[in-house]
Amino acid sequence: MELSKNYTPGGTEERWYAHWMDKGYFNSKPDGRPPFTIVIPPPNVTGVLHMGHTLNETVQDILIRKARMSGFNACWVPGSDHASIATEAKVVDMLKKEKGIDKSELTREAFLKHAYEWKDKYGGIIYHQIKKLGCSCDWDRVSFTMDDHYYKAVIKVFVDMYNKGLLYRGARMINWDSKAKTALSDEEVEYKDLTGKLYHVKYPIVNAAGEKTGEFITIATQRPETIMGDTAICVNPTDERYAHLKGHFALVPMIDRKVPIIFDEYVDPAFGTGALKVTPAHDINDYNLGLKHNLEVVDTLNDDGTLSAAAIVFVGEDRFVARKKVVATLAEQGLLIKEEEYTTRLGYSQRNPTTVVEPRISTQWFVKMAELAKPALEAVTSGDVRIHPGDRFLATYKYWMENVKDWCISRQLWWGQQIPAYYDESGNFVVAESMEDAIRLYSEKYGTPNGPLRQGCRLLGYRFSSWLWPIEVFEGITKPDNPEINYYYPTNVLVTGQDIIFFWVARMIMAGLEYKHVKPFNDVYFTGMVRDKQGRKMSKSLGNSPDLLELIERFGADAVRFGIMISSPAGNDLLFDDSSCEQGKMFNNKMWNALKLTKMWTVSDNAAATPHFAVTWFESRLNKVQAEIELLMKDFRLSEALKTLYSLIWDDFFSWYLEWVKPGFEQPIDREVYNQTIGFYERLLQLLHPFMPFITEEIYHLLKERAEGDDRHQAICRTRRSKRSDPRRWRTVERSDLQHPRLPREKPDQTERPGGAAFRNQQRACVPSY
């Protein structure tokens, strides 16, 4: 077989992946071997994979291939998340831009048809990208969080938790997305530091009889459009400036509502004017003050972010338009003292990035988290679930779990699992898995209904489905004692981003302990944040995130995997630059040149009198480094393992060993040395295979004849190679052709490399010219 001048990844990768799939090497069934299970953190069906996904999937594939080659029954379950609000926002925008359809014009059933079309399109794109990266998932096990069995599992868990008293419905302060018109959980809010304005406003003082005293109290606010919702002015009881105002009231500007002046140590006398306007409907801290002092709650905003009738003035105006009008009116009335710039922190909807999130009192469904958090905290602090790197993320996990708040799980959306609450015309409700069960429960609780029951239109947030992921991908909720859940669960390792340590990881531990009475995974490996070379988080809005398929087209999948892994120490953020992919590409060519070098050698059966010193040295070196790599892999120090292996292959094997053993010009190589050299190269390829599966598979099969079914690498393809390179065409190669691309060359360690430079063969070697 004629070898190309350089390694060509494109056709090689397609050929090997197709063959692996055809042979079913990635498929897993329960058997007598110990299982090694990974469930993919399901990407949202909202678009394409970003570099964070690339890192995550590469790490998982390294672990699963290593386990498969070590004799485990390796099972890597792929899948995707319906991602309620994120996907719905994408579909709504698509319908508006491409078809001129507004969501309000559709029924829920019609909208869901469009949503499933979106899911099929983008879910397919995501899976295609994962395959192009070389990931060895069991594609017969693809799961989706809206699959029929998964949907039933979510509803079953909701009903069970409600019956246990772990779920409740109530009015509380929540995050509100006025564009999507839905409640948000904490993880769906992203905060930005911005420069805003602080407005200083005078409130007239009145006494207990309602008479104006001629005095004013000044407050500073960032949100003058909420003034109409004020129900108190609060000052610190130790602040002597306001002590004389006990028993007095203030008049809310523009609407002249009389509100009490209250005293609470919550107010910092040194901040601003030392006086705080209290708007319980629009600020969580004000809400808590309102509860403490029994204040009225006046909600001045509609669900779309316009002013409600309760605002009295500027009703129906957008909140930010109303802000300008309120400021102008206050200035006209002589109540606006000044404006000043102020650094503030605003929350934005994660899925509608231009929408400022509103704190709002709303009746929603909540999970009581305190009871669930205790065993989940113990599971980690006791070491039953191990976090890597633990020194950084254990403290974060403990902080979240020790300060846990109830979890808002309901959404005002159409894409997702519908909450199984059934209502009568009076608002009485029961929770049941089906309408039939609901009618029976209603009759037992309330008697015969006056009319038909209706299921509430609210949905569950997607995290309420994804926290069941390690269980329900094996149908552990819907079929709790099936053979697969008993064999594959608990899974071995979860690989995920550090930003969802509480929002997903902790909740999966809670669900696992609650519904399987055992942890969902043994280890959690946190990857770092992928940043560009300027240190910025990669994002579509900044346009600094490269396209994965374009990178693979330029460099090859192995080079991309190498590039991102060589830059990613466990848990730390990494600065990604495609020059690291270029380094991976050069490494591929280096290995290819080494293959061609061995192919041109003529082998002699005249055995040498004594073993070649280089063989003895490299065998010792290889054994030592292999043991080091095993320890690094065990500790999830994958980047260090790759760097160690890279140095072993490039420096020790290519630059020193091959130079020492290669024969002189037109001279043969001893067969024993040749066989040992090929054996060394095979072992190196086996070590490297989890990191760079395509080129290692290709070179492994070109090094020597392989019998059909030869499976020295478990679960990687075996084919027969009978063609040999043509020895009639030659070119000369200088040592510089094997030069290291980026890492500085180290002087050989004389204690490990006997003879040093004096033993290096300086003759030029002949290799095939292809």
Side-chain angles (χ1 to χ4, degrees):
M1 177 182 180
E2 185 172 307
L3 300 179
S4 58
K5 179 180 179 181
N6 294 313
Y7 174 66
T8 53
T12 300
E13 292 169 359
E14 290 181 9
R15 174 166 45 84
W16 279 119
Y17 202 90
H19 200 80
W20 293 335
M21 292 288 289
D22 181 61
K23 293 297 183 181
Y25 287 131
F26 305 154
N27 298 343
S28 174
K29 298 292 182 184
D31 59 25
R33 292 174 293 164
F36 188 95
T37 316
I38 296 178
V39 293
I40 199 170
N44 297 344
V45 287
T46 53
V48 297
L49 299 183
H50 53 65
M51 294 311 294
H53 288 120
T54 302
L55 171 61
N56 197 290
E57 318 307 6
T58 300
V59 168
Q60 291 174 84
D61 196 45
I62 291 168
L63 295 174
I64 208 74
R65 285 181 181 271
K66 178 65 168 64
R68 193 178 287 122
M69 294 173 68
S70 300
F72 289 90
N73 186 353
C75 179
W76 183 10
V77 180
S80 55
D81 198 322
H82 70 281
S84 53
I85 186 172
T87 304
E88 183 154 325
K90 293 281 188 179
V91 175
V92 167
D93 287 345
M94 179 274 293
L95 290 173
K96 192 73 173 177
K97 293 176 182 177
E98 297 182 10
K99 302 183 179 182
I101 300 174
D102 192 271
K103 176 185 170 183
S104 61
E105 301 170 9
L106 299 172
T107 63
R108 182 169 186 260
E109 289 71 23
F111 179 83
L112 289 179
K113 180 181 178 182
H114 291 291
Y116 272 106
E117 289 173 354
W118 175 281
K119 172 259 178 183
D120 291 340
K121 176 182 178 180
Y122 285 98
I125 291 173
I126 288 169
Y127 296 148
H128 173 68
Q129 290 177 301
I130 293 174
K131 291 176 181 179
K132 288 288 287 184
L133 194 59
C135 295
S136 56
C137 302
D138 185 343
W139 293 106
D140 290 342
R141 294 181 175 275
V142 176
S143 291
F144 178 54
T145 52
M146 287 277 281
D147 287 341
D148 287 344
H149 74 90
Y150 209 114
Y151 196 113
K152 292 176 182 177
V154 173
I155 300 306
K156 186 179 183 71
V157 165
F158 184 97
V159 174
D160 179 71
M161 293 184 71
Y162 179 78
N163 291 334
K164 290 176 178 176
L166 293 171
L167 274 176
Y168 66 94
R169 181 175 180 264
R172 294 189 55 181
M173 179 70 73
I174 51 92
N175 303 300
W176 185 262
D177 181 330
S178 60
K179 181 179 179 181
K181 298 180 184 178
T182 181
L184 302 174
S185 60
D186 291 341
E187 70 265 27
E188 292 168 322
V189 180
E190 291 186 347
Y191 291 91
K192 301 177 184 179
D193 292 324
L194 302 169
T195 299
K197 285 190 176 180
L198 200 60
Y199 302 89
H200 293 254
V201 181
K202 295 192 302 182
Y203 286 58
I205 300 298
V206 296
N207 57 28
E211 301 167 337
K212 289 186 178 181
T213 65
E215 189 178 359
F216 295 87
I217 189 169
T218 301
I219 60 91
T221 180
Q222 302 174 57
R223 305 191 62 199
E225 72 277 10
T226 65
I227 281 176
M228 296 78 75
D230 292 351
T231 56
I233 299 293
C234 188
V235 296
N236 194 291
T238 64
D239 195 333
E240 296 181 357
R241 293 173 295 175
Y242 303 118
H244 66 289
L245 295 180
K246 284 185 178 180
H248 286 62
F249 297 83
L251 294 179
V252 176
M254 297 179 291
I255 61 173
D256 288 340
R257 179 191 297 125
K258 188 173 74 170
V259 298
I261 296 174
I262 62 175
F263 295 79
D264 197 287
E265 292 182 352
Y266 169 76
V267 178
D268 181 0
F271 181 78
T273 65
L276 175 75
K277 77 185 201 67
V278 184
T279 319
H282 301 296
D283 182 273
I284 183 61
N285 297 311
D286 291 8
Y287 175 70
N288 291 331
L289 273 174
L291 291 177
K292 183 177 179 180
H293 294 274
N294 197 29
L295 298 177
E296 181 184 4
V297 177
V298 178
D299 188 350
T300 60
L301 290 176
N302 294 315
D303 61 4
D304 62 354
T306 59
L307 266 62
S308 70
I312 302 175
V313 295
F314 309 122
V315 174
E317 296 279 9
D318 177 81
R319 53 190 164 151
F320 296 115
V321 173
R323 176 179 296 179
K324 295 178 180 179
K325 293 186 175 182
V326 167
V327 170
T329 301
L330 291 172
E332 290 174 5
Q333 295 178 357
L335 298 176
L336 181 65
I337 298 176
K338 65 176 180 178
E339 303 175 22
E340 61 182 353
E341 288 192 347
Y342 179 72
T343 300
T344 187
R345 187 171 175 81
L346 283 182
Y348 286 79
S349 174
Q350 189 181 66
R351 304 307 176 184
N352 290 307
T354 61
T355 302
V356 176
V357 170
E358 285 289 343
R360 189 181 187 202
I361 304 295
S362 180
T363 300
Q364 302 291 339
W365 289 89
F366 298 87
V367 175
K368 294 179 182 178
M369 297 293 281
E371 184 176 336
L372 293 169
K374 290 177 182 177
L377 176 59
E378 172 63 22
V380 172
T381 56
S382 68
D384 194 27
V385 175
R386 297 177 294 272
I387 289 179
H388 309 272
D391 55 340
R392 286 190 57 194
F393 298 114
L394 181 57
T396 303
Y397 182 88
K398 289 178 63 177
Y399 173 82
W400 276 105
M401 300 301 278
E402 290 171 350
N403 296 274
V404 68
K405 299 177 182 178
D406 285 358
W407 174 21
C408 178
I409 58 171
S410 49
R411 302 290 182 270
Q412 288 63 39
L413 299 168
W414 282 352
W415 176 239
Q417 291 93 359
Q418 196 169 356
I419 292 176
Y422 297 82
Y423 298 81
D424 66 12
E425 294 181 355
S426 301
N428 299 314
F429 70 89
V430 292
V431 172
E433 293 185 42
S434 66
M435 178 63 79
E436 293 75 14
D437 288 346
I439 293 172
R440 176 180 54 79
L441 290 172
Y442 184 93
S443 299
E444 294 173 0
K445 186 174 182 179
Y446 300 109
T448 303
N450 295 326
L453 299 180
R454 60 175 180 83
Q455 187 173 1
C457 59
R458 295 186 178 183
L459 304 183
L460 288 160
Y462 73 104
R463 292 293 187 202
F464 193 81
S465 58
S466 65
W467 76 329
L468 304 176
W469 185 251
I471 306 174
E472 190 52 32
V473 294
F474 300 112
E475 300 188 38
I477 299 293
T478 48
K479 299 177 182 177
D481 288 318
N482 76 79
E484 295 215 333
I485 189 68
N486 292 333
Y487 180 75
Y488 291 114
Y489 187 94
T491 66
N492 291 76
V493 60
L494 173 75
V495 180
T496 189
Q498 57 191 263
D499 52 330
I500 53 175
I501 185 171
F502 173 72
F503 303 122
W504 188 47
V505 177
R507 289 173 184 165
M508 281 191 290
I509 297 174
M510 295 178 196
L513 295 174
E514 179 68 20
Y515 286 99
K516 296 304 295 180
H517 309 296
V518 67
K519 61 190 177 182
F521 27 72
N522 299 326
D523 294 274
V524 182
Y525 176 100
F526 285 114
T527 59
M529 188 75 69
V530 182
R531 301 183 181 275
D532 64 18
K533 53 188 175 184
Q534 298 179 41
R536 301 174 302 173
K537 177 182 176 181
M538 285 190 170
S539 68
K540 292 180 181 178
S541 60
L542 288 175
N544 62 345
S545 182
D547 179 82
L548 174 58
L549 294 183
E550 192 273 335
L551 284 177
I552 293 174
E553 179 69 24
R554 286 172 60 195
F555 302 108
D558 285 326
V560 173
R561 291 165 65 115
F562 176 95
I564 201 160
M565 286 306 303
I566 206 76
S567 311
S568 57
N572 293 326
D573 290 357
L574 59 135
L575 301 181
F576 180 78
D577 184 347
D578 60 14
S579 63
S580 62
C581 297
E582 181 67 35
Q583 182 184 356
K585 182 178 179 180
M586 295 178 72
F587 188 33
N588 283 341
N589 285 327
K590 178 81 168 186
M591 289 189 287
W592 193 249
N593 283 337
L595 168 67
K596 293 195 294 183
L597 180 66
T598 63
K599 284 292 185 182
M600 55 73 102
W601 288 340
T602 301
V603 182
S604 169
D605 288 323
N606 296 325
T610 59
H612 198 295
F613 77 90
V615 171
T616 304
W617 165 74
F618 188 75
E619 183 172 26
S620 174
R621 179 73 178 145
L622 176 54
N623 290 338
K624 177 182 177 182
V625 175
Q626 184 170 355
E628 292 175 4
I629 291 170
E630 288 292 331
L631 290 175
L632 291 171
M633 295 283 282
K634 183 179 179 181
D635 291 339
F636 297 94
R637 295 157 63 186
L638 305 186
S639 182
E640 293 177 57
L642 178 58
K643 290 175 181 177
T644 301
L645 181 55
Y646 176 78
S647 179
L648 174 69
I649 295 173
W650 191 290
D651 293 329
D652 296 327
F653 186 66
F654 291 158
S655 298
W656 295 106
Y657 176 82
L658 290 183
E659 285 296 305
W660 280 330
V661 301
K662 73 181 181 183
F665 182 68
E666 295 186 347
Q667 293 179 7
I669 187 172
D670 175 73
R671 181 171 298 280
E672 182 63 24
V673 174
Y674 176 80
N675 289 340
Q676 289 170 320
T677 300
I678 298 302
F680 289 152
Y681 205 174
E682 287 181 342
R683 286 178 62 186
L684 292 172
L685 292 172
Q686 289 170 335
L687 290 173
L688 186 61
H689 177 74
F691 297 91
M692 304 173 73
F694 292 112
I695 190 169
T696 52
E697 185 76 275
E698 179 76 354
I699 294 177
Y700 178 82
H701 287 278
L702 290 172
L703 273 175
K704 66 179 183 181
E705 295 287 342
R706 304 290 177 188
E708 187 68 33
D710 174 13
D711 59 354
R712 288 184 62 188
H713 296 175
Q714 290 195 25
I716 57 178
C717 176
R718 309 287 163 252
T719 62
R720 178 180 296 275
R721 294 283 181 179
S722 58
K723 295 182 180 180
R724 294 291 188 178
S725 56
D726 185 354
R728 294 172 295 178
R729 300 168 59 205
W730 307 97
R731 73 179 179 90
T732 57
V733 174
E734 303 290 345
R735 179 178 168 79
S736 60
D737 289 347
L738 300 176
Q739 187 176 356
H740 204 297
R742 290 187 66 202
L743 297 182
R745 286 296 314 279
E746 296 180 0
K747 184 178 180 180
D749 186 342
Q750 300 300 317
T751 62
E752 295 193 6
R753 297 184 175 97
F759 284 79
R760 289 162 49 194
N761 189 338
Q762 298 298 328
Q763 294 183 351
R764 297 195 302 175
C766 297
V767 298
S769 176
Y770 296 112

